[in-house]
């Protein structure tokens, strides 16, 4: 007996609907890009002009310049600042931390990417590593060539940063930095060269992974405490204690150490020569400002190695804190947040030993 055509037609339509429902594209992760400026948003007069204005291009233009983002995530952008990162400041840090934590707390956001200048990228990423209260991916990126340059490195860095932020395997690895196909930990990344696209290094700690056109290969998770496990925070979020960095050198005078304390610094980081050392007159000035209540951390102007206690400077006698793996810029970020909790050098040394 022949089945009436109308039943076959209804059956076909039902099967088509069912297959299209089941075959629906998987829901793309929701990623928000927070833009702060930098060379990645820089604009020059021509593709080969070495001079450029940092932070000239807005976040929507950056997103539209990477159309393949749509294939990997549902991306929206917010402009937090439009500055060269040499002008990065506590106000932008606090605004960035507040907005990141608000977004990450939303069930509708799966991760965040942040575009930033490379000059202070290592400082901002580490600051966020200490105050972001989520396991969701937070991935910073920047570029060494402006958006208008021939062979600009920004678009692929943005694509990789979003691909990492959208990757469930990125969760719980702390704040990350995606540059030049590499995935760095915020704790370890440092800028090592003024112009080279391959300027960033994670030194003896090594990479967290590599990003290959959106395919992420993972090597490790950071050893230090970060993000949700961090007991540090921005406090009331209104301000951060003033911490200055003073560069050590041959014949270093005590004057800048004294002046920093007179100008209201609550903490000092000495970018010491070698293993965090300085001249005898400078060390005497350190002892004086410590007696005035300033907390002083010994870091190093070298970009490698670990500054431990009581090697050449007797920290127990002088009252200084040793920065361990942290370079001066990162040591400053940790000291600012630690000073919101305590000004006791022993307690602050404990933070440097664990973060
Ligand atoms: N003005 C510098 C900055 O914004 C340029 C370096 C860069 O972003 O690559 O950090």
């Amino acid at each position: 007996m022949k089945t009436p055509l109308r039943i076959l037609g209804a059956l076909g339509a039902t099967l088509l609907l069912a297959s299209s429902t089941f075959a629906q594209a998987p829901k793309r992760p929701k990623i928000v890009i927070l833009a702060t400026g930098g060379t990645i948003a820089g604009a020059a007069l021509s593709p080969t002009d070495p001079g450029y204005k940092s932070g000239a291009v807005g976040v929507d233009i950056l997103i539209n310049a990477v159309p393949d983002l749509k294939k990997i995530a549902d991306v929206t952008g917010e402009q937090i600042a439009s500055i060269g990162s040499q002008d990065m400041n506590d106000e932008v840090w606090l605004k960035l931390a507040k907005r990141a934590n608000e977004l990450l707390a939303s069930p509708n956001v799966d991760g965040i990417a942040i575009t930033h200048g490379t000059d202070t990228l290592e400082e901002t990423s580490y600051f966020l590593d200490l105050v972001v209260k989520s396991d969701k991916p937070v991935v910073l990126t920047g570029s060494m060539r402006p958006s208008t340059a021939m062979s600009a490195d920004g678009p692929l860095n943005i694509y990789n940063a979003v691909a990492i932020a959208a990757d469930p395997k990125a969760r719980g690895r702390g704040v990350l930095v995606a540059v030049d196909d590499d995935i760095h930990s915020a704790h370890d990344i440092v800028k090592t060269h003024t112009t080279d696209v391959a300027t960033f290094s994670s030194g003896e700690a090594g990479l967290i992974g590599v990003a290959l056109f959106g395919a992420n290969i993972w090597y490790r998770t950071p050893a230090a405490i970060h993000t949700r496990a961090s007991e540090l925070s921005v406090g009331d979020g209104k301000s951060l204690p003033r911490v200055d960095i003073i560069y050590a050198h041959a014949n270093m005078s005590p004057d800048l150490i004294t002046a920093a304390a007179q100008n209201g610094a609550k903490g000092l980081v000495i970018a010491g020569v070698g293993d965090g050392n300085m001249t005898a007159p400078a060390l005497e000035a350190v002892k004086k400002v410590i007696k005035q209540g300033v907390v002083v951390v010994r870091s190093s102007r070298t970009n490698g190695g670990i500054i431990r206690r009581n090697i050449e400077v007797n920290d127990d006698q002088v009252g200084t804190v040793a920065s361990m793996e942290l370079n001066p810029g990162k040591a400053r970020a940790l000291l600012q947040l630690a000073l919101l909790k305590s000004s006791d050098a022993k307690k602050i040394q404990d933070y440097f030993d664990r973060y």
Side-chain angles (χ1 to χ4, degrees), residues 93-155:
W93 273 11
L94 291 168
K95 187 175 176 186
L96 201 48
K98 179 172 184 287
R99 188 60 185 141
N101 279 320
E102 284 170 352
L103 288 166
L104 293 165
S106 163
N108 303 319
V109 172
D110 298 298
I112 287 178
I114 298 172
T115 56
H116 192 289
T118 60
D119 287 357
T120 57
L121 183 57
E122 64 204 70
E123 298 173 49
T124 300
S125 58
Y126 184 56
F127 169 77
L128 292 172
D129 202 38
L130 298 171
V131 299
V132 159
K133 300 306 175 192
S134 173
D135 286 334
K136 293 179 184 175
V138 175
V139 188
L140 284 86
T141 193
S143 73
M144 292 302 286
R145 296 180 183 139
S147 60
T148 50
M150 190 184 299
S151 301
D153 51 326

Side-chain angles (χ1 to χ4, degrees), residues 36-42 52-55 83-88 116-121 141-146 153 191 194-195 199-200:
T36 68
T39 298
I40 196 166
Y52 62 89
K53 178 167 175 20
S54 194
I83 56 174
S85 78
Q86 63 269 42
D87 283 321
M88 189 48 68
H116 192 289
T118 60
D119 287 357
T120 57
L121 183 57
T141 193
S143 73
M144 292 302 286
R145 296 180 183 139
D153 51 326
K191 185 174 182 178
T194 56
T195 56
T199 182
F200 285 105

Side-chain angles (χ1 to χ4, degrees), residues 16-244:
L16 193 64
L17 181 65
S19 65
S20 68
T21 305
F22 290 119
Q24 253 173 5
K27 183 173 166 297
R28 292 172 304 160
K30 169 71 176 163
I31 305 300
V32 180
I33 296 181
L34 300 179
T36 68
T39 298
I40 196 166
L45 295 176
S46 80
T48 53
D49 184 341
Y52 62 89
K53 178 167 175 20
S54 194
V57 172
V59 64
D60 291 336
I61 296 174
L62 290 179
I63 293 172
N64 294 335
V66 190
D68 280 35
L69 286 177
K70 293 186 184 65
K71 297 178 186 169
I72 58 173
D74 173 6
V75 177
T76 56
E78 296 182 14
Q79 199 77 39
I80 299 290
S82 294
I83 56 174
S85 78
Q86 63 269 42
D87 283 321
M88 189 48 68
N89 55 61
D90 293 353
E91 183 192 350
V92 175
W93 273 11
L94 291 168
K95 187 175 176 186
L96 201 48
K98 179 172 184 287
R99 188 60 185 141
N101 279 320
E102 284 170 352
L103 288 166
L104 293 165
S106 163
N108 303 319
V109 172
D110 298 298
I112 287 178
I114 298 172
T115 56
H116 192 289
T118 60
D119 287 357
T120 57
L121 183 57
E122 64 204 70
E123 298 173 49
T124 300
S125 58
Y126 184 56
F127 169 77
L128 292 172
D129 202 38
L130 298 171
V131 299
V132 159
K133 300 306 175 192
S134 173
D135 286 334
K136 293 179 184 175
V138 175
V139 188
L140 284 86
T141 193
S143 73
M144 292 302 286
R145 296 180 183 139
S147 60
T148 50
M150 190 184 299
S151 301
D153 51 326
L156 181 54
N157 283 349
I158 290 174
Y159 182 82
N160 281 334
V162 170
I164 294 162
D167 186 342
K169 290 182 182 173
R171 285 179 71 100
R173 294 183 195 262
V175 170
L176 301 172
V177 181
V179 281
D180 196 30
D181 298 348
D182 290 336
I183 307 174
H184 296 263
S185 163
H187 182 273
D188 304 310
I189 189 170
V190 293
K191 185 174 182 178
T192 67
H193 194 279
T194 56
T195 56
D196 197 328
V197 167
T199 182
F200 285 105
S201 167
S202 282
E204 293 166 336
L207 295 175
I208 296 287
V210 291
L212 305 173
F213 287 92
N216 305 317
I217 313 293
W218 300 100
Y219 299 146
R220 68 180 182 95
T221 53
I225 297 174
H226 58 74
T227 57
R228 245 159 43 101
S230 168
E231 61 204 281
L232 298 163
S233 75
V234 295
D236 64 11
K238 293 191 171 62
S239 66
L240 294 170
R242 174 174 168 165
V243 173
D244 292 342

